[in-house]
Amino acid sequence: MNIVSVENVVKIYHTGMKRGNITALNEVSLSIDQAEIFGLLGPNGAGKTTLMKVLLGITRATSGGVTVMGLSPADAGSREKVGYLPENHRFPNHLTGIGLLELAGRMCGMSNAEIKTRADELLPLVGMDKWAHTKIRKYSKGMAQRIGLAQALINDPDLVCLDEPTDGVDPVGKIEIREVLQRIKEQGKSVLLNSHLLSEVESVADRVAILSKGRVRRVDTVKHLTSRQLEYEFEAEIGDRFLDIPPEIGKQVAVTANGMRVELKSREGVTHIIDMLRQRRINIYAVTPVKMSLEQSFIELIKDQATPGGQQSGGGAS
Amino acid sequence: MKGLTRDTCNEMIDRKLFWVFVAVTVLTILIVLLSASTVKTLKAGEAPPEVAKGIGDLVDAYLINGLGKFLSILVFLAVMGTAGLIPSMLSRGRAEFYMSKPISRTGLLLNKLVGMWAVYGGLTVVAGLVCLGVMVLSYDLFKIGVLWMLVDSLVALAVWFSITGLIGVISGSYAFAVTAAFLVWIAQSLLPLREGLAQIVNSKVLTTTLDILYYVLPKPSQVSDLFAQLARSKEVADWMPLWSTLLFALVMYAASLWFFRRKDY
Ligand SMILES: Nc1ncnc2c1ncn2[C@@H]1O[C@H](COP(=O)(O)OP(=O)(O)O)[C@@H](O)[C@H]1O
Ligand SMILES: [Mg+2]
């Protein structure tokens, strides 16, 4: 069973006359498996937060099918084993850190003893044990974020939804949060992670959906998204020449600082290029397959969608 | 209560409203003690029986009216102090927290409303009992019926919360919630006087409208009068103000739930 399944979900916000209707989600479909860290990536306003809220029943989809733990979000039971760290949260600030955990725990139907045990585990985990008895209104952004993560985990959820979890957190805290996510995953639980920080998603997520303007542009593993097939960087003394590579082998895409970049039709092309370079007595120092960062891949995908037809990316001179 | 009642309690203490209640209660007790010493000197003057009975009636009325005034101040404070609770719970960044928990929307709002009523009603009743205790001890007279005044404040709180709750859910604004309660309060103070107006203005439409408004809107002041009658162990001639008010509150609560279940946050 999928932990989360989303099918053709549309969400239209009916705002005032001026801005008209906003289609925040447009025919979105995806699913999240057990023990998977699923990243939602997209520029601001892409609909990431909206999708998360739809899953939690905070906002209702205009149309389409959503199930969480096999139940509709309208059913409170679907949230029994779910934790949520909202974006831009303002937790009830009359509470202390531990008070927030107690309230969250009781709302999840936990007993005082259960809450106590769990809080004693979670507070050190998020590095907030020293601040547990301080009012939330005195917390910094990063501290509120850490306690927010703890409250999302209070009921030992099978699915944790985190909306921009490292927002306002210091670099050390970011690494700590990443470790927490890995631990959750090792326990066989799923994580839905929203972030505009691509490097962060890249380092933890198993699969990623790229959203832009309310549409899912691509759902894939991070590995696939970041490896560009059959592009190689040749570190060689080429200068700023363009090589006359036969079209059936491939083409030179660019001249780089240390050599050139080529796009090949097949892997055997590498040997061919090496032969060509050797014939011309050009020294070769290294050949590396080109890997894009998720960021590049993301930007290209978004750019593609922005330009109608969108196929001219990557290729320059030929 | 899924923790929301305790949350409301924490919130009250944090917002120092608790201390306002304490301050008003202490002030009232001081007034009672001060006036009691005056009445005692009157009594000590060996008054003839008929005068003594007059004084007794006076004290009786004083006990009921005084307690009633005190309680209505507390109710006023509680309504003003709580009108912002629901808008605050449903504000951006906080609603998400409450709604992500495994509680249905209906459960969430009902828990919060019941929590508010229990916490602030409880506080009002305790303050009322303390004040009543001081009154009873210093005047040396007690009527069990006086306890109806406490019931009255619980009913009044339920009615006012139904108004601030509904407007709070719909508008998400403290200012609107308080304004709505204030408008209803003005209307319910003026509408019983509508017959006087009908004699001056000769308009069938106007009088009918006012009549409808009168029967539809809640009548907390008249309900208080009704409970004061009960407190004096007198017959209540007309129960209409009570049941029409309760009906109004019920409709308001139902409407709050209806709107809440349909809103996006
Ligand atoms: N409550 C709302 N009312 C109207 N429009 C909204 C609301 N929430 C979000 N939107 C709009 O929906 C779109 C998607 O927003 P959001 O889901 O917050 O994006 P993201 O989290 O990816 O930055 C945006 O255009 C935003 O303006
Ligand atoms: Mg967002």
Side-chain angles (χ1 to χ4, degrees):
Chain A
M1 185 190 74
N2 289 326
I3 297 284
V4 169
S5 124
V6 176
E7 261 173 60
N8 298 324
V9 164
V10 175
K11 174 65 196 177
I12 298 171
Y13 284 113
H14 301 281
T15 50
M17 312 261 177
K18 265 185 231 147
R19 292 174 65 204
N21 292 341
I22 296 174
T23 308
L25 296 175
N26 196 347
E27 300 280 329
V28 169
S29 300
L30 52 87
S31 64
I32 301 174
D33 297 327
Q34 203 170 351
E36 176 174 51
I37 300 187
F38 192 97
L40 272 182
L41 277 177
N44 295 326
K48 307 182 294 293
T49 299
T50 303
L51 180 59
M52 219 176 238
K53 285 187 185 177
V54 166
L55 296 181
L56 289 152
I58 295 167
T59 289
R60 281 152 322 125
T62 309
S63 70
V66 180
T67 61
V68 176
M69 307 289 165
L71 297 169
S72 150
D75 185 339
S78 67
R79 293 187 290 279
E80 206 76 58
K81 278 289 175 188
V82 175
Y84 176 44
L85 171 63
E87 183 186 25
N88 302 324
H89 48 72
R90 283 173 45 246
F91 293 119
N93 57 15
H94 58 272
L95 294 173
T96 59
I98 185 94
L100 182 74
L101 296 189
E102 281 168 3
L103 174 61
R106 274 193 225 105
M107 288 176 77
C108 292
M110 295 165 72
S111 73
N112 287 343
E114 284 170 329
I115 294 172
K116 170 104 185 40
T117 322
R118 190 76 182 133
D120 288 345
E121 267 168 56
L122 288 173
L123 286 167
L125 184 69
V126 299
M128 286 299 288
D129 34 350
K130 287 194 188 64
W131 297 93
H133 294 279
T134 306
K135 287 262 163 85
I136 291 177
R137 69 166 66 94
K138 295 189 181 144
Y139 283 2
S140 69
K141 178 84 215 270
M143 286 156 74
Q145 203 72 12
R146 286 159 181 259
I147 204 73
L149 181 60
Q151 69 78 30
L153 298 175
I154 191 80
N155 57 342
D156 196 16
D158 291 337
L159 170 68
V160 193
C161 300
L162 305 172
D163 204 343
E164 312 279 0
T166 56
D167 199 16
V169 177
D170 57 51
V172 178
K174 284 182 185 172
I175 294 168
E176 284 169 6
I177 288 179
R178 196 177 298 167
E179 282 165 5
V180 172
L181 295 189
Q182 287 297 356
R183 253 166 87 167
I184 299 171
K185 188 191 154 179
E186 280 158 23
Q187 291 167 3
K189 294 162 181 204
S190 311
V191 178
L192 175 57
L193 177 66
N194 264 12
S195 182
H196 60 269
L197 297 175
L198 300 131
S199 57
E200 179 178 304
V201 175
E202 185 171 4
S203 59
V204 294
D206 301 310
R207 277 198 307 150
V208 173
I210 295 182
L211 242 75
S212 117
K213 299 190 182 128
R215 282 185 181 276
V216 176
R217 303 302 177 183
R218 200 163 156 193
V219 182
D220 214 333
T221 59
V222 172
K223 205 171 142 210
H224 278 152
L225 276 169
T226 52
S227 72
R228 184 181 288 189
Q229 297 202 330
L230 302 176
E231 245 194 71
Y232 294 86
E233 179 120 23
F234 280 78
E235 205 177 299
E237 288 170 353
I238 299 169
D240 47 10
R241 258 179 303 180
F242 265 88
L243 251 63
D244 48 346
I245 302 169
E248 65 275 12
I249 305 292
K251 64 180 180 197
Q252 181 176 348
V253 200
V255 175
T256 62
N258 299 325
M260 65 171 179
R261 188 180 287 187
V262 293
E263 212 177 279
L264 301 175
K265 290 269 185 314
S266 74
R267 282 170 50 178
E268 284 66 44
V270 175
T271 328
H272 193 99
I273 306 277
I274 291 177
D275 287 346
M276 269 180 79
L277 292 173
R278 289 308 300 144
Q279 269 169 22
R280 283 159 220 217
R281 304 188 177 281
I282 296 173
N283 286 327
I284 306 170
Y285 302 112
V287 182
T288 37
V290 175
K291 249 188 114 133
M292 286 193 293
S293 70
L294 192 52
E295 185 156 358
Q296 281 168 296
S297 151
F298 169 76
I299 289 169
E300 286 190 6
L301 245 160
I302 300 292
K303 229 177 10 200
D304 273 6
Q305 307 297 334
T307 46
Q311 67 269 68
Q312 68 266 54
S313 71
S318 55
Chain B
M1 279 299 129
K2 301 254 190 196
L4 282 171
T5 304
R6 194 190 297 196
D7 184 37
T8 309
C9 205
N10 286 334
E11 203 171 16
M12 172 184 74
I13 292 165
D14 181 74
R15 291 165 72 236
K16 318 223 162 42
L17 199 60
F18 177 74
W19 297 108
V20 177
F21 269 71
V22 171
V24 172
T25 309
V26 169
L27 203 70
T28 310
I29 289 172
L30 285 180
I31 294 171
V32 170
L33 290 176
L34 224 77
S35 53
S37 60
T38 325
V39 174
K40 282 229 173 82
T41 33
L42 270 175
K43 264 188 178 168
E46 286 292 315
E50 55 282 26
V51 179
K53 186 183 176 301
I55 291 171
D57 283 348
L58 210 70
V59 172
D60 184 17
Y62 185 66
L63 196 70
I64 292 170
N65 286 341
L67 186 67
K69 284 277 174 319
F70 169 62
L71 288 173
S72 56
I73 291 173
L74 294 190
V75 167
F76 172 78
L77 285 174
V79 172
M80 299 301 277
T82 56
L85 293 191
I86 287 186
S88 144
M89 178 172 97
L90 301 180
S91 65
R92 242 186 117 82
R94 198 163 293 171
E96 286 95 323
F97 165 73
Y98 286 102
M99 286 186 204
S100 65
K101 301 294 173 250
I103 304 179
S104 67
R105 294 247 177 140
T106 310
L108 188 61
L109 187 60
L110 278 183
N111 268 313
K112 184 69 185 179
L113 286 166
V114 171
M116 276 163 60
W117 186 72
V119 169
Y120 288 85
L123 189 62
T124 306
V125 166
V126 169
L129 283 175
V130 168
C131 188
L132 181 65
V134 174
M135 284 173 153
V136 167
L137 289 180
S138 50
Y139 288 109
D140 213 12
L141 67 112
F142 175 68
K143 269 174 121 173
I144 189 80
V146 171
L147 295 178
W148 280 114
M149 306 304 289
L150 296 174
V151 178
D152 174 43
S153 24
L154 290 177
V155 170
L157 281 178
V159 172
W160 290 116
F161 286 179
S162 76
I163 299 165
T164 54
L166 175 66
I167 304 303
V169 166
I170 294 178
S171 69
S173 145
Y174 167 76
F176 281 174
V178 167
T179 309
F182 187 62
L183 290 177
V184 171
W185 183 75
I186 291 179
Q188 67 97 34
S189 317
L190 294 180
L191 281 172
L193 311 171
R194 72 199 181 289
E195 267 143 27
L197 185 76
Q199 279 169 358
I200 308 164
V201 188
N202 198 0
S203 156
K204 190 91 180 87
V205 180
L206 185 71
T207 48
T208 321
T209 315
L210 290 180
D211 268 348
I212 292 172
L213 271 179
Y214 171 73
Y215 287 108
V216 166
L217 287 179
K219 310 155 190 67
S221 298
Q222 285 183 304
V223 171
S224 287
D225 294 345
L226 189 151
F227 277 109
Q229 291 288 91
L230 285 176
R232 294 194 178 87
S233 346
K234 290 190 181 149
E235 277 287 305
V236 175
D238 187 6
W239 291 93
M240 186 280 295
L242 181 62
W243 65 253
S244 63
T245 300
L246 290 178
L247 187 69
F248 173 86
L250 218 62
V251 171
M252 290 282 125
Y253 283 126
S256 314
L257 290 174
W258 191 87
F259 276 105
F260 186 47
R261 289 172 60 103
R262 270 154 197 80
K263 275 192 80 159
D264 283 341
Y265 288 91

